[in-house]
Amino acid sequence: MTAGRLASRTSLYAFALLVCVVTAFPVLWMVATSLKTPSEALQSPPVWIPGSPTLEAYGQVGDVIDVGRSFLNSALIATITTAGILVTSLLAGYVFAKYRFRGRNALFALLIATMFLPPIVTLIPLFRIVGQLGIDGSLAGVIVPNLANAFGIFLMRQFIAGVPDELIEAARLDGASELRIVFSIVAPVVLPALAALALFAFVYHWNSYLWPLTVLQGNEDHAPIVLSLARLLTYTGSAQNTPIVMAGATLAVLPPLLLFVVLQRFFVNTMARTGLSG
Amino acid sequence: MLRRSRWLSTVAVGTVCALALAACGGDDDSGGSTGASTGGGGGEQVEISFLTHWAPDQVTKLESVVDAYEQEHPNVSIDVRAVPFADLLTTLRSQAGSDNGPTMAGIYDLWLPELVRDGVVAEAPEAQAAEIQSDWPANLAAAASVDGKVYGFPNEVDLYALNYNTKLFEEAGISEPPATWDELIADAEKLTKRDGGRITQQGFGLISSWAAGTVHPWTSLLYSNGGELIDEAGNPALNTPQALQTFELVENLMSKAKVSDPAMSTADANTTGPYLESFVSGKTAMIIMANWWESALKAGMKDAFDDVATAPIPVGPSGDGPHPVSYSWMTVVSGKADDAEQQAAWDFLDYLNSPESGTDGASAMAELLQSMGILPSRTSDLEAYADELDRPFLKGYTEQLENAKPFPIVLGGQEFTEALQKDLEALQAGQMTAQEAQERAQADAESVLGAAG
Amino acid sequence: MRVARQPLWTAAFLAPSVALIGVFVLVPIGLTLWLSLHEWSTATPFGEASWVGLDNFKALFEGAIVGRDFRQSWRNTFVYAGLSIALILPLSVVLGIIIQRSTIRGRTVLRTVLFATYTIPMIAVAIVWSKLYSPSEGPINEALGWFGIAPQPWLSDTSTALVSLVFLNVWQQLGYFTVLVVAGLTQISPSVFEAAALDGARTLKLHAYVTIPLLRRTLLFCVVIALINAIQVFEPVVAITQGGPVGSTNVLTYHIRQVGIERSQGGLASAMAVMLLLSLMVVVTLVFALARRAEDR
């Protein structure tokens, strides 16, 4: 190995290490601070490693917000929305990929154009519509508007287009209904895309903030963990309560992070496959 | 193959079931339905709600008052909803138009005109209106009214005073708090400590990133300089010499005498933050703030709280005496609730604010407010709490009540406050001169108040 | 592709998506457009809106405080987006190449750590970084001190607040875009790299002249997605800065929500939303046009 190559390899390692450290640091700081005592949190210059780590802050989080209920709400929102997106995208994607009808391309273009819409643009009228439907202030109000998703339809169409027609024809000849074809024949073939869509939709809706904030305002019973965390921050705002806020943040971060760590190979591989083909 | 398809159909079926569950379970706070009648006699079941910005401790107290009321009125059930202060107006506005909105809400009086204009709040029934007009000081009943009609029960009254750290004053050899602006600047200069270019102890603290915190202290100085925010005709009056002097005072404090540090002035969404921490830790010697921050000071300073004293607002060159700004809050009832709900709401509010609900002739509302160190407003409550209100910290405020001038309540008032806040912040950050700040503040005020009508 | 005509199934399968997107996306877009031409208080029914033509839009361009605040939030938003993209793009390319093409050990760890940040809720990111940025109790200023750099005001000064948020955004999003780049790289046939190496291309030149041009579609995709993500920035502003100091972090999502919901000025907020949409369309078109020009060259 030449000196040049050694130097460039070393600098590569150094750079990679630096990136790892900078990326992991905020999370490590968050956890470390959650274990500090209130006076340690106030210290200037700051304390890096807590002297005598304590779980007290975690208990105090429960005094201000209902952690269990918040997680339940987050889980309901994320799971139901994801399930809805999977079903609606699968069905619509199948139609756009395998059927022909007048105006198909125009309709597809219209739906897909909405993929790039920043939510704030429609926030206010959407909120009033949800109010008129009587579902504001409830989890239904958070979930229902998101049950169909343009990106999901786009993704499914791309992948279903790759399903061999022979497979479908054969099933039809066997007397299978279209519904059965979609779920029993097509879905298994595009399972990686479905899984990717499921993972992304779940994380996105677990972390979604603006829409739940708008629909649920004030209603703690239905608040997902991200809203409860904001409430924790405002009610324990002063500097000596930083460990409590960090404890809350650690709790909020755990589920999506753990989900990712467990399924990360899947996440990344399917992203690679779904990212830019077609 | 088959297993996977069953999984998918289970997902589909599950979606439908879960949706149904969510929809059914969601609307338990529905204010729009009167519900089925529960048994004969006492009348139908009414569900109402109370929206407040109070902290969890006060919410618990309020809930025990609710429990006491519900025992006397078993057909009424009251749900207390608490949101952080920064979310209160947004929550109120976004829920106001819907059936699921809160039946009762604690609001800042400044928001009343717009809520009335939009038909969101209900007029007080005759009995309550008469009670409010007779049992509360006239200016507070007026603040809770629009066009002579009363819209709710006034609850807290807040005003401003100069807070200062007596220990720091001793160290600097100053015996009396400043009574005039010249003395204010002179004292602040003596009280400011620097380390190189950075201020380590600021003589006078300003506040930013929070509308009331930025604007109210400045307005108190303006009033104490003989100035006005809005003239009798309702037009902005920031283009007067008195106002210019007040802008120049800020310019002086920030940029010339440099006795104030912008980095120590910020506030966060819950009205705590650096401006509070600096005073608590003895890095700010003087600051103009409202009486309700007493509980935050006590919690942060513990024993050091004894070093805090309060004094009247320093008087400006064109002023005749100290005139702090005062403002008040009130509780309103939703105009969108149905008759049974509104009636139950007014009845509960009557109870909450009456001398019967608390101890020793005080109302439960007054007890709640006093637990946060906040001044109640009902005449009977002021009497019941006369001794507590006499404590050293609060005395500096209560003595000034007679000199206080209320912040003007007009349509567009909140936006007007936020516009003035931005101009003051720009001045505090050194982005404009006092002259420029005045011109822009006046123009902005004319634009905002003009558009609001 | 053999296609079928199945009118009944077409309708049945499309109905949920079309109904949902129609009611909850298309109708609100129409309403926003319609409301932007009216004066309307958000707390009142749609029927009470009164026609004002282009007055709302005029106000956005005028010198009074309404227009000033809007233009400031517009500027802040696009500066934030631009800076974010300027940082994310090069970093994700470099890191993507390291992960996909280099042979150092621990590449997967690097990829995992990077991508993990994307799963963290933005509100938690904002809260933690606000503590990191604390001028006196935060570790960032402390760490800067080790290198002899003076403590920075970060979120408390008008000149640094927006950039502080940009760093936060880059930290959270870098992993996602790195994986996108990795995905794009997997689509480049390895023979391309072998051929270039045979031609004697050294690593840096190789990547600059061969890899990056081949990544063009990926990078275009990244730019558009990063732009759309950046425009939606909300949590750090609502939870930490509230648009301050002096409006330096006032961004469009926060501002439109404040005007439309807190101040109930629904018509004005809708006009702002329309302007946002138009700006976005213009910028995305420009980006595509630039990309095509580069391709033609």
Side-chain angles (χ1 to χ4, degrees):
Chain A
M1 226 198 258
T2 65
R5 271 208 83 191
L6 186 62
S8 67
R9 260 188 103 70
T10 316
S11 44
L12 265 183
Y13 269 106
F15 180 64
L17 188 64
L18 178 67
V19 169
C20 272
V21 167
V22 169
T23 308
F25 177 68
V27 177
L28 296 172
W29 178 265
M30 171 184 75
V31 177
T33 308
S34 71
L35 300 169
K36 290 180 190 161
T37 62
S39 52
E40 272 181 325
L42 278 171
Q43 299 262 21
S44 153
V47 170
W48 289 76
I49 302 181
S52 37
T54 162
L55 288 175
E56 207 182 314
Y58 286 89
Q60 290 168 314
V61 170
D63 292 338
V64 185
I65 59 173
D66 189 340
V67 178
R69 185 114 193 215
S70 304
F71 275 131
L72 181 65
N73 290 329
S74 288
L76 281 172
I77 293 172
T79 321
I80 298 174
T81 311
T82 302
I85 289 176
L86 286 178
V87 170
T88 57
S89 302
L90 189 61
L91 293 174
Y94 177 69
V95 167
F96 283 118
K98 294 299 185 186
Y99 291 171
R100 180 197 281 167
F101 59 94
R102 217 172 5 181
R104 182 192 64 183
N105 291 335
L107 183 62
F108 186 68
L110 180 64
L111 291 181
I112 295 319
T114 68
M115 221 168 38
F116 300 105
L117 185 75
I120 186 65
V121 173
T122 52
L123 189 79
I124 295 167
L126 179 60
F127 177 66
R128 293 310 306 268
I129 289 176
V130 162
Q132 275 165 8
L133 289 175
I135 51 177
D136 61 321
S138 72
L139 285 183
V142 178
I143 293 171
V144 169
N146 290 314
L147 287 173
N149 185 273
F151 175 71
I153 298 176
F154 173 73
L155 201 66
M156 284 300 116
R157 189 197 87 149
Q158 297 300 92
F159 275 78
I160 295 179
V163 174
D165 295 330
E166 293 76 32
L167 220 55
I168 299 174
E169 282 301 316
R172 282 197 191 118
L173 285 174
D174 280 346
S177 72
E178 293 299 292
L179 192 62
R180 203 177 154 72
I181 290 177
V182 169
F183 285 104
S184 309
I185 310 292
V186 175
V189 175
V190 295
L191 201 58
L194 274 174
L197 182 59
L199 287 171
F200 278 107
F202 186 87
V203 170
Y204 180 85
H205 284 101
W206 181 281
N207 295 339
S208 170
Y209 189 86
L210 179 58
W211 179 241
L213 176 70
T214 306
V215 173
L216 292 174
Q217 278 190 317
N219 200 329
E220 300 161 64
D221 293 337
H222 300 314
I225 190 66
V226 288
L227 290 186
S228 295
L229 184 58
R231 175 181 283 258
L232 180 70
L233 175 69
T234 46
Y235 281 133
T236 57
S238 89
Q240 70 219 39
N241 289 321
T242 303
I244 301 180
V245 177
M246 292 294 114
T250 307
L251 290 174
V253 159
L254 279 177
L257 200 53
L258 281 176
L259 185 73
F260 165 71
V261 166
V262 163
L263 296 172
Q264 63 122 337
R265 200 170 41 95
F266 212 359
F267 235 128
V268 173
N269 285 348
T270 49
M271 256 200 86
R273 272 191 274 171
T274 67
L276 307 137
S277 51
Chain B
M1 262 319 217
L2 220 51
R3 231 186 307 133
R4 281 184 184 144
S5 72
R6 212 175 282 148
W7 169 67
L8 279 168
S9 27
T10 319
V11 159
V13 170
T15 310
V16 174
C17 288
L19 255 181
L21 267 173
C24 295
D27 277 344
D28 39 296
D29 297 324
S30 159
S33 60
T34 44
S37 46
T38 52
E44 43 185 81
Q45 184 74 12
V46 179
E47 283 171 18
I48 55 179
S49 53
F50 190 106
L51 177 69
T52 175
H53 68 291
W54 289 335
D57 287 340
Q58 276 66 42
V59 169
T60 317
K61 291 198 175 73
L62 179 61
E63 280 170 345
S64 54
V65 179
V66 162
D67 287 338
Y69 181 84
E70 279 174 345
Q71 273 182 5
E72 300 288 312
H73 303 81
N75 59 320
V76 176
S77 116
I78 306 174
D79 172 44
V80 176
R81 297 183 202 172
V83 294
F85 169 72
D87 292 345
L88 182 62
L89 181 56
T90 317
T91 308
L92 191 60
R93 288 310 217 140
S94 58
Q95 294 199 328
S98 84
D99 288 337
N100 289 327
T103 330
M104 301 167 277
I107 69 165
Y108 174 22
D109 286 0
L110 194 60
W111 305 336
L112 185 63
E114 258 137 3
L115 295 174
V116 170
R117 178 199 68 191
D118 289 344
V120 164
V121 291
E123 239 183 277
E126 265 190 56
Q128 275 79 19
E131 186 187 342
I132 290 167
Q133 276 162 337
S134 68
D135 293 349
W136 264 267
N139 60 337
L140 285 170
S145 318
V146 170
D147 290 336
K149 302 196 203 117
V150 179
Y151 282 93
F153 282 88
N155 49 52
E156 69 181 79
V157 138
D158 304 292
L159 68 162
Y160 288 78
L162 182 70
N163 285 237
Y164 63 101
N165 191 319
T166 53
K167 210 169 89 175
L168 295 180
F169 264 55
E170 250 180 71
E171 276 173 20
I174 309 176
S175 54
E176 290 290 322
T180 68
W181 287 9
D182 289 334
E183 286 172 24
L184 174 67
I185 298 186
D187 288 348
E189 280 175 333
K190 281 192 219 145
L191 287 158
T192 304
K193 292 196 193 137
R194 293 187 187 84
D195 175 15
R198 250 181 354 122
I199 295 181
T200 50
Q201 179 178 302
Q202 57 173 0
F204 185 79
L206 290 165
I207 306 177
S208 63
S209 302
W210 164 33
T214 312
V215 172
H216 288 178
W218 185 87
T219 308
S220 301
L221 288 167
L222 174 71
Y223 284 168
S224 305
N225 194 34
E228 290 289 346
L229 282 178
I230 298 184
D231 64 26
E232 277 124 26
N235 299 319
L238 291 169
N239 49 1
T240 58
Q242 293 92 335
L244 181 60
Q245 285 169 330
T246 323
F247 285 114
E248 283 171 345
L249 176 66
V250 172
E251 195 182 21
N252 219 333
L253 290 167
M254 278 299 200
S255 318
K256 294 190 184 133
K258 291 211 185 23
V259 295
S260 201
D261 182 7
M264 290 200 221
S265 70
T266 49
D268 60 31
N270 206 39
T271 70
T272 55
Y275 85 94
L276 168 67
E277 309 291 336
S278 307
F279 190 75
V280 159
S281 57
K283 295 206 195 99
T284 301
M286 297 185 278
I287 190 169
I288 295 178
M289 253 303 284
N291 51 293
W292 51 260
W293 84 328
E294 183 194 26
S295 49
L297 284 184
K298 278 197 186 142
M301 295 177 92
K302 310 205 207 314
D303 289 332
F305 179 71
D306 295 333
D307 295 334
V308 177
T310 53
I313 309 280
V315 179
S318 316
D320 61 4
H323 291 288
V325 151
S326 67
Y327 65 93
S328 42
W329 279 59
M330 59 188 290
T331 322
V332 294
V333 171
S334 166
K336 295 276 166 49
D338 65 37
D339 290 335
E341 289 163 349
Q342 287 192 31
Q343 200 181 3
W346 286 113
D347 196 62
F348 172 69
L349 288 179
D350 210 305
Y351 171 75
L352 179 64
N353 288 286
S354 74
E356 280 90 48
S357 54
T359 47
D360 296 331
S363 66
M365 174 61 83
E367 279 181 359
L368 269 161
L369 294 174
Q370 267 292 291
S371 71
M372 297 183 272
I374 297 179
L375 300 175
S377 55
R378 187 171 186 148
T379 320
S380 52
D381 287 328
L382 290 169
E383 283 162 13
Y385 276 98
D387 290 333
E388 279 89 344
L389 295 179
D390 229 20
R391 59 181 184 265
F393 182 82
L394 278 188
K395 222 164 157 188
Y397 289 94
T398 49
E399 280 174 347
Q400 289 297 313
L401 266 174
E402 55 183 14
N403 295 327
K405 275 166 75 167
F407 196 89
I409 295 181
V410 290
L411 268 176
Q414 180 71 22
E415 203 182 337
F416 163 68
T417 311
E418 287 164 2
L420 184 53
Q421 171 202 358
K422 294 225 173 74
D423 295 322
L424 283 173
E425 283 177 348
L427 178 62
Q428 284 171 207
Q431 290 174 3
M432 289 198 290
T433 65
Q435 180 79 29
E436 289 167 344
Q438 179 189 38
E439 281 163 12
R440 217 169 75 170
Q442 175 69 9
D444 289 343
E446 282 170 357
S447 156
V448 165
L449 293 176
Chain C
M1 160 173 114
R2 246 173 293 153
V3 294
R5 280 196 175 278
Q6 301 265 11
L8 278 166
W9 288 113
T10 305
F13 286 177
L14 282 184
S17 300
V18 172
L20 284 164
I21 293 185
V23 170
F24 295 113
V25 182
L26 296 173
V27 166
I29 292 179
L31 278 171
T32 298
L33 291 170
W34 183 79
L35 287 167
S36 68
L37 302 169
H38 290 73
E39 186 171 317
W40 173 66
S41 166
T42 317
T44 59
F46 290 130
E48 289 183 30
S50 52
W51 175 265
V52 292
L54 292 174
D55 280 357
N56 287 328
F57 291 95
K58 266 193 245 157
L60 296 182
F61 285 100
E62 281 169 355
I65 188 167
V66 167
R68 267 194 351 249
D69 283 348
F70 168 71
R71 290 192 297 277
Q72 182 188 42
S73 67
W74 189 96
R75 253 196 328 269
N76 288 338
T77 306
F78 282 96
V79 166
Y80 173 89
L83 287 176
S84 296
I85 294 174
L87 284 174
I88 288 177
L89 220 55
L91 280 173
S92 61
V93 168
V94 168
L95 287 167
I97 291 176
I98 291 179
I99 290 174
Q100 182 65 13
R101 300 291 320 164
S102 82
T103 49
I104 64 173
R105 276 183 300 191
R107 300 199 301 281
T108 324
V109 173
L110 179 62
R111 190 193 66 192
T112 308
V113 171
L114 276 171
F115 198 74
T117 63
Y118 187 69
T119 62
I120 300 179
M122 193 44 150
I123 182 79
V125 174
I127 291 173
V128 175
W129 275 81
S130 75
K131 301 294 178 192
L132 294 179
Y133 276 138
S134 167
S136 46
E137 296 116 24
I140 295 185
N141 273 345
E142 168 88 349
L144 285 181
W146 300 338
F147 298 98
I149 307 176
Q152 299 296 310
W154 299 118
L155 294 170
S156 33
D157 189 280
T158 57
S159 51
T160 54
L162 194 63
V163 172
S164 307
L165 294 188
V166 170
F167 289 151
L168 199 163
N169 186 39
V170 170
W171 178 86
Q172 206 227 12
Q173 306 244 329
L174 186 58
Y176 177 80
F177 291 101
T178 304
V179 171
L180 279 181
V181 168
V182 166
L185 285 170
T186 58
Q187 299 191 325
I188 301 177
S189 153
S191 52
V192 170
F193 292 106
E194 283 157 22
L198 281 175
D199 278 346
R202 306 295 305 284
T203 319
L204 226 59
K205 272 207 189 140
L206 165 71
H207 292 307
Y209 290 111
V210 177
T211 318
I212 290 179
L214 286 173
L215 277 175
R216 209 178 299 112
R217 279 189 74 201
T218 309
L219 294 179
L220 182 63
F221 188 66
C222 285
V223 169
V224 174
I225 298 295
L227 178 64
I228 293 171
N229 286 351
I231 292 200
Q232 297 178 29
V233 59
F234 182 68
E235 283 94 310
V237 179
V238 77
I240 311 297
T241 67
Q242 290 99 57
V246 204
S248 58
T249 57
N250 192 20
V251 291
L252 280 168
T253 304
Y254 181 78
H255 190 60
I256 291 177
R257 181 174 173 267
Q258 191 182 36
V259 171
I261 297 188
E262 190 188 294
R263 295 190 195 153
S264 277
Q265 293 166 347
L268 189 61
S270 300
M272 293 185 189
V274 170
M275 290 305 300
L276 168 60
L277 200 54
L278 286 176
S279 317
L280 187 60
M281 279 162 43
V282 167
V283 173
V284 172
T285 313
L286 273 175
V287 168
F288 273 101
L290 275 171
R292 204 165 302 140
R293 266 221 324 204
E295 216 168 282
D296 293 338
R297 247 193 283 121

